[in-house]
Amino acid sequence: MKEIIKADKIVKTITWSAGPGCHGGCGVFIHVKDGKLIKMEGNPDHPYNNGRLCPRALTIKDFIYHPDRLRTPLRRAGKRGENKWEKISWDEAYDMLEGKMTGIRDQYGAESMIFVQGTGRNVGGWLLLAAYSYGSPNWLQGGLTGNSCFHPRLVCMRMTQGDYAVPDCSQFFQERYDHPEFVLPECIMIWGQNPANTCNDGFMATWIIDCMKRGSKTIVIDPIYTWVASKADLWLQIRPGTDGALALGLLHIIINEKLYDREFVENWTHGFDKLAERVQEYPPEKVSQITWIPKEKIIEAARLFARSKPASIQWGVPVDLAPEGAQVANSVIHLWTITGNIDVPGGMAIARMAYDVPPYPMSKEAIAKYYGDVMPPEQMAKRIGTDVYPVAREFHWRAQADMTLQAMLTDKPYPIKGAWIAGNNILTSAANPRKYQKALNRLDFIAISDVFMNPTIVALADLVLPAGSMAERDGIRAWWTPLNAMQKAIEVPDCKPDEEVCLEMARRFNPDLKWKSLRELYDDFLKPSGLNYDQLKEKGWVFPPEGHPTQPYRRHEKGLLREDGKPGFNTPTGKVELYSTHLERMGYDPLPSYEEPHMSPYSTPELARKYPLILSTGRRSILYFHAEHRNIKALRELEPHPVLEIHPKTAASLGIQDEDWVWVENQHGRCKRKAKYLNGIDPRVVQTPHGWWLPEKKAEDLFGLWEVNINQLIPDGTQAKCGFGGGQYKSIMCKVYKAEEGIQGIYQKESLL
Amino acid sequence: MKYGLYIDYDWCSGCHACELACKQENDLKLDQWGIRVIERTYQAEDKRVIEYIPIPTEYCNLCVNRIAQGMKPACVHHCMTKCMDFGPIEELSKLVEKKKKSVIWGSNK
Ligand code: SF4
Ligand code: SF4
Ligand code: SF4
């Protein structure tokens, strides 16, 4: 065993983005020796993780010093897809980016350039700055059909209750579970989320396990019998895609059995009677038929949830991915509302960015306040999708993904000519990736910023910008609380953090931009906290003081949620709107209802004969974040192949043995998977993770992408009526059959070593 | 005094953090592990049980260097569910007495 190497310096920062790849903000210490990161440890004092770290954070050294890491800007030398590149300097890269983008703006207008981020990483806010400074309103998460991850929930909470809410696991306090005001949730409903594997959206999922250890009961809604399901008080094995029916069924029981919080409903909600009438359409028998969950379990769950005080709901992406995701989100909001669990300790805490500091803005107001004045309203009105979707126009701030894809292909409402993609391996991650390839190939110019060469870069990029990891960035973070400083611990020569690149381009496109340096920008953004960047760095993180509008609890009673200072929620009626006046005004059904998945044994019985199995994709792995980390061997060793989880009975009926290679196929496409027997899955359902490409294969073959990309089976353009929700990643159908052979050149245990 | 690792495997979620924390701490190569998490599943009376249990290997040195500096072992420090602990075996044995599904991995360190 080696001796402990003494670090020259230890840098206090947080994890966000390139590295672990997540949306979380774990406090960490980076140990540096001779200018190199030698290890990263969890910071025991940081209230987010209290010292803990996940496998991706613990292997960050392999990520940062990986031999395949992009180390210099590249200009395409051959044709797209040939993987021929010329190394260029950063100055040349900046000039090329500026030149190409200026050309597009001059000839077609700034809206013809789209700015594409992937999942919720810190590049988002800075890419927005670049987009707005350039003059394009088209900032989006490309490939995400129906914008259906997080955003349906986000816009619904904004419309229905005025603010975002998260399960209160004491994360708003430094002392965490010991804080005197915190109350342990009596029951947590875990809706389509696996807390053992994921940290989502500013929420460290292991907080749920912390609460379970302290005695919180749990109801797990999941098609799979996961470890957490095995620990739960109640497990509801739901048919994928039917979450909307379950939510309405639970409301039915809670309302009809009068288990709701009458006082809260009376004082703080709008339209209860109309909701009560609507849910009569969803009696337990019918909901049981739709969801495949036994009626008794649905009733038991409704009673357990409603009788527990306080109670909370931790939800995941299946809510958004239901056919009418926004409607499902609203029904779930109604569940915690009528049981009186909003803004109370141990319930659903209203979550705002600490001190309203917006490095990653999540409301139009935040954008207007900090970035908005750089673009005239008539330009803003060109944001794709806003003419069709009033919800997008009023409550969202990004371009609609499916309509952007259409615009790229059809030049309507106007041609798209260029894309700046940052941290989105879109050919791996998008629904209908081949259509994206075709669409993006029509563009005159594509710049991609990333850490590693990937299929999207090889297939489409004209300019490649090597991005810095989280350890190479100064930054600020407030995704809910606390407000954190990110601190550069190391430099990797010729890699640049997106923050620097975006600001440089923003300044080139808008010479009047008020910030001359990142430091100035951070100091300005941090003003509401009363600290500047150096002071925040010194402290590491801060919580707003008690009584601040961005700290809980019971702000609706104290008049802390509305601009006008009156008690109530930030909605037109000042109440939580069970009957949505916004939706009504915009011409949508103001009450939730259930829609069957686009493709299912009931909606498409003919097709279901050909493709009899329900396919649920996108389940998370603790080892990989979306399309990343397959090249980190220490992680790959633990999960070397893309698997298809299948019930042994189903497998047997198809002549498939455990570990056989199989094809998963439907009318849209097919890909290979390795069968993995799983008892805890319904025999009519199969499940597989997404994001696979094979870094060990040849770049010219797009790293084996088309052999393993499950998203080929998922169509685009299935967005919900209001534009939010409806991606079919969780509830499409397929058939599975044995493949004649496995995947040539895929890592085997020996080849990994 | 002899030391050991305490595992409350009732709460181990199988997250692999201990395995990779150990690798980072001890610079272990591929297929070298200071601790391995095994999975087992079986039918109990009322439900199917899924259990993960971390077991130290011959590479485990109980993080003597960290302990000397007043720190916890790397695996204990990073465990995602905080189901591990480190200490004198005598003290840990009081914990196992109270907790079903808990175990001490002893050592001659
Ligand atoms: S995935 Fe979770 S544990 Fe890992 S770095 Fe992100 S927030 Fe922390
Ligand atoms: S005590 Fe140290 S050496 Fe032993 S398993 Fe844990 S991290 Fe590895
Ligand atoms: S880190 Fe903790 S929870 Fe994770 S596998 Fe190891 S012992 Fe289990």
Side-chain angles (χ1 to χ4, degrees):
Chain A
M1 285 288 147
K2 64 163 187 139
E3 290 299 302
I4 282 198
I5 309 167
K6 273 252 187 303
D8 313 328
K9 63 170 180 180
I10 295 180
V11 179
K12 182 164 67 175
T13 184
I14 55 147
T15 62
W16 190 17
S17 306
C22 60
H23 314 167
C26 282
V28 288
F29 290 123
I30 293 179
H31 294 230
V32 182
K33 189 174 166 63
D34 302 329
K36 285 195 140 193
L37 178 148
I38 50 170
K39 74 171 167 178
M40 185 161 89
E41 295 233 337
N43 178 349
D45 295 327
H46 197 284
Y48 198 88
N49 55 319
N50 293 106
R52 301 175 268 194
L53 278 184
C54 65
R56 284 173 274 122
L58 290 163
T59 49
I60 195 163
K61 190 169 73 177
D62 300 359
F63 182 97
I64 290 176
Y65 301 112
H66 198 291
D68 294 347
R69 195 169 157 188
L70 291 166
R71 289 294 197 112
T72 164
L74 300 171
R75 181 165 47 206
R76 179 164 58 79
K79 293 202 186 92
R80 280 180 181 164
E82 282 184 352
N83 196 37
K84 294 195 181 128
W85 308 96
E86 181 193 342
K87 291 182 180 171
I88 57 174
S89 70
W90 269 101
D91 282 336
E92 288 172 295
Y94 280 148
D95 290 345
M96 180 176 174
L97 195 55
E98 183 186 1
K100 293 283 185 190
M101 285 171 66
T102 306
I104 289 171
R105 185 166 65 182
D106 290 349
Q107 204 176 340
Y108 304 98
E111 64 277 9
S112 289
M113 183 81 201
I114 58 172
F115 295 75
V116 183
Q117 70 167 105
T119 186
R121 293 187 271 227
N122 60 348
V123 63
W126 312 122
L127 196 61
L128 165 79
L129 175 67
Y132 282 23
S133 305
Y134 170 79
S136 171
N138 290 322
W139 170 53
L140 70 150
Q141 283 175 305
L144 186 60
T145 183
N147 286 12
S148 29
C149 176
F150 190 53
H151 293 272
R153 286 173 280 165
L154 204 54
V155 293
C156 283
M157 286 194 271
R158 179 74 185 78
M159 280 192 286
T160 303
Q161 57 177 40
D163 267 287
Y164 199 82
V166 289
D168 179 17
C169 297
S170 76
Q171 66 269 41
F172 296 90
F173 307 111
Q174 176 64 37
E175 311 83 328
R176 294 297 310 251
Y177 302 98
D178 297 331
H179 190 277
E181 266 195 88
F182 172 70
V183 177
L184 188 76
E186 192 180 334
C187 176
I188 306 174
M189 195 180 274
I190 305 170
W191 198 307
Q193 218 253 321
N194 184 357
N197 277 4
T198 41
C199 292
N200 51 352
D201 315 325
F203 190 94
M204 190 176 182
T206 30
W207 299 339
I208 300 273
I209 302 171
D210 294 348
C211 289
M212 290 168 79
K213 284 176 79 171
R214 285 166 171 77
S216 297
K217 294 191 181 120
T218 45
I219 301 165
V220 168
I221 300 163
D222 200 310
I224 312 296
Y225 190 62
T226 59
W227 174 80
V228 177
S230 81
K231 308 286 292 176
D233 295 85
L234 211 50
W235 168 51
L236 308 186
Q237 187 172 29
I238 190 170
R239 169 164 71 95
T242 65
D243 307 69
L246 177 62
L248 287 156
L250 294 169
L251 285 166
H252 175 108
I253 298 156
I254 292 170
I255 291 174
N256 286 18
E257 295 193 5
K258 300 208 173 4
L259 299 172
Y260 54 92
D261 181 332
R262 271 177 235 197
E263 208 185 306
F264 187 86
V265 165
E266 197 147 300
N267 294 330
W268 299 109
T269 69
H270 170 77
F272 178 76
D273 293 341
K274 294 195 180 101
L275 177 69
E277 201 183 307
R278 172 62 60 88
V279 300
Q280 297 316 312
E281 294 168 32
Y282 300 92
E285 301 73 27
K286 177 171 161 188
V287 171
S288 170
Q289 269 169 17
I290 296 173
T291 60
W292 295 351
I293 304 167
K295 180 180 130 189
E296 302 67 39
K297 287 220 169 179
I298 301 172
I299 295 172
E300 211 185 323
R303 289 179 184 159
L304 175 59
F305 178 74
R307 286 182 181 144
S308 302
K309 281 276 161 110
S312 61
I313 302 178
Q314 166 65 349
W315 51 5
V317 72
V319 169
D320 304 313
L321 295 173
E324 285 295 322
Q327 293 273 27
V328 183
N330 268 338
S331 330
V332 178
I333 294 169
H334 298 343
L335 273 170
W336 70 60
T337 300
I338 65 165
T339 49
N341 282 304
I342 291 196
D343 212 13
V344 297
M348 297 300 295
I350 284 182
R352 291 179 165 182
M353 305 302 180
Y355 291 105
D356 284 325
V357 173
Y360 189 58
M362 278 188 219
S363 72
K364 282 180 72 174
E365 292 73 16
I367 290 177
K369 199 159 142 202
Y370 286 88
Y371 306 80
D373 55 353
V374 290
M375 197 174 351
E378 61 282 7
Q379 187 63 14
M380 200 62 194
K382 293 181 186 160
R383 181 159 55 98
I384 295 171
T386 52
D387 49 341
V388 183
Y389 299 116
V391 177
R393 189 166 60 236
E394 289 189 37
F395 294 96
H396 204 232
W397 51 93
R398 296 192 176 174
Q400 208 280 347
D402 304 87
M403 303 207 57
T404 308
L405 174 61
Q406 281 316 110
M408 285 192 275
L409 284 165
T410 63
D411 296 340
K412 287 189 181 82
Y414 47 76
I416 305 296
K417 291 290 170 186
W420 176 351
I421 300 173
N424 184 344
N425 180 355
I426 201 165
L427 293 191
T428 307
S429 301
N432 206 344
R434 287 189 195 252
K435 190 165 166 186
Y436 270 92
Q437 186 178 18
K438 200 167 138 209
L440 285 161
N441 235 333
R442 296 187 77 226
L443 308 194
D444 295 344
F445 174 64
I446 298 177
I448 303 186
S449 147
D450 219 308
V451 183
F452 294 102
M453 188 56 77
N454 67 36
T456 307
I457 297 180
V458 174
L460 294 162
D462 305 310
L463 172 66
V464 187
L465 306 167
S469 74
M470 55 146 288
E472 298 150 56
R473 293 175 191 229
D474 280 334
I476 50 177
R477 171 189 159 99
W479 190 330
W480 323 138
T481 54
L483 174 61
N484 292 282
M486 286 180 77
Q487 231 190 114
K488 198 181 264 193
I490 52 162
E491 301 236 9
V492 173
D494 281 328
C495 296
K496 273 193 200 301
D498 298 288
E499 289 86 340
E500 280 175 29
V501 180
C502 291
L503 181 66
E504 170 70 22
M505 294 321 285
R507 284 175 43 74
R508 288 189 184 207
F509 289 123
N510 177 12
D512 300 332
L513 195 76
K514 62 176 170 174
W515 309 292
K516 306 268 175 290
S517 68
L518 279 175
R519 186 58 57 103
E520 270 179 41
L521 189 157
Y522 295 158
D523 284 348
D524 196 30
F525 273 29
L526 286 171
K527 273 196 185 124
S529 72
L531 299 171
N532 64 27
Y533 177 67
D534 279 331
Q535 290 164 327
L536 182 63
K537 207 165 80 172
E538 189 57 37
K539 288 179 187 287
W541 64 89
V542 288
F543 285 95
E546 221 171 287
H548 194 276
T550 61
Q551 275 294 93
Y553 298 103
R554 298 201 168 84
R555 279 159 284 181
H556 61 287
E557 291 171 6
K558 299 173 192 155
L560 290 173
L561 295 177
R562 296 173 59 86
E563 281 281 287
D564 60 16
K566 289 193 184 137
F569 295 88
N570 193 16
T571 61
T573 55
K575 310 275 176 79
V576 181
E577 300 197 344
L578 304 173
Y579 181 91
S580 171
T581 58
H582 281 307
L583 286 176
E584 183 178 44
R585 175 175 50 79
M586 292 186 271
Y588 293 106
D589 188 351
L591 293 165
S593 58
Y594 170 70
E595 291 276 339
E596 179 66 19
H598 301 268
M599 187 180 179
S600 86
Y602 308 107
S603 60
T604 53
E606 282 299 315
L607 266 177
R609 266 193 282 282
K610 219 166 150 196
Y611 306 108
L613 294 166
I614 296 178
L615 171 65
S616 170
T617 73
R619 75 112 165 104
R620 303 300 198 259
S621 155
I622 185 101
L623 303 167
Y624 306 131
F625 198 77
H626 292 306
E628 292 188 90
H629 302 109
R630 307 308 190 286
N631 55 353
I632 307 300
K633 288 185 174 182
L635 301 174
R636 189 74 185 273
E637 193 177 11
L638 289 162
E639 201 176 304
H641 298 144
V643 296
L644 179 85
E645 284 146 339
I646 185 166
H647 195 281
K649 268 194 214 153
T650 312
S653 74
L654 298 168
I656 293 166
Q657 303 281 324
D658 201 21
E659 299 209 349
D660 275 352
W661 283 99
V662 297
W663 285 105
V664 188
E665 180 178 317
N666 68 11
Q667 71 273 34
H668 305 295
R670 68 172 188 172
C671 76
K672 270 184 189 163
R673 283 292 183 267
K674 192 176 232 184
K676 185 178 174 192
Y677 281 6
L678 185 70
N679 276 302
I681 190 168
D682 189 293
R684 297 163 285 185
V685 179
V686 289
Q687 170 175 261
T688 184
H690 64 301
W692 274 90
W693 53 287
L694 303 169
E696 64 269 32
K697 294 197 64 160
K698 277 211 207 94
E700 303 84 88
D701 300 335
L702 300 187
F703 302 102
L705 177 72
W706 302 125
E707 213 171 347
V708 288
N709 186 352
I710 191 72
N711 282 332
Q712 294 171 99
L713 282 76
I714 315 293
D716 69 296
T718 57
Q719 65 269 34
K721 293 186 199 83
C722 70
F724 289 89
Q728 279 184 273
Y729 309 85
K730 295 273 174 209
S731 53
I732 193 107
M733 303 202 69
C734 70
K735 67 178 177 186
V736 176
Y737 54 96
K738 212 166 148 164
E740 318 73 56
E741 53 177 14
I743 295 173
Q744 295 298 322
I746 196 169
Y747 274 143
Q748 302 298 337
K749 189 135 176 73
E750 310 73 55
S751 55
L752 264 168
L753 296 177
Chain B
M1 214 170 350
K2 296 286 184 224
Y3 290 86
L5 282 178
Y6 166 80
I7 319 280
D8 172 5
Y9 65 88
D10 199 10
W11 288 105
C12 171
S13 68
C15 76
H16 302 292
C18 50
E19 295 173 324
L20 291 153
C22 180
K23 263 191 193 250
Q24 174 177 251
E25 184 65 31
N26 296 302
D27 264 335
L28 296 175
K29 309 225 155 21
L30 291 171
D31 207 26
Q32 296 180 345
W33 308 89
I35 191 161
R36 286 285 2 221
V37 181
I38 57 148
E39 181 183 4
R40 67 180 192 192
T41 159
Y42 55 89
Q43 193 61 40
E45 219 159 88
D46 54 340
K47 65 174 169 191
R48 197 154 184 86
V49 177
I50 301 173
E51 269 168 7
Y52 298 98
I53 309 168
I55 307 175
T57 73
E58 64 177 67
Y59 281 106
C60 174
N61 58 6
L62 277 188
C63 282
V64 278
N65 292 325
R66 289 175 71 96
I67 304 304
Q69 296 178 8
M71 296 159 80
K72 293 213 160 148
C75 54
V76 174
H77 181 113
H78 291 102
C79 172
M80 288 286 268
T81 68
K82 293 193 178 287
C83 74
M84 308 176 86
D85 210 342
F86 166 86
I89 288 179
E90 224 170 289
E91 272 171 40
L92 298 180
S93 63
K94 283 180 205 135
L95 294 176
V96 274
E97 273 171 27
K98 280 183 268 174
K99 189 77 181 59
K100 180 170 129 181
K101 294 196 183 180
S102 67
V103 67
I104 302 169
W105 298 117
S107 129
N108 56 358
K109 296 263 181 326

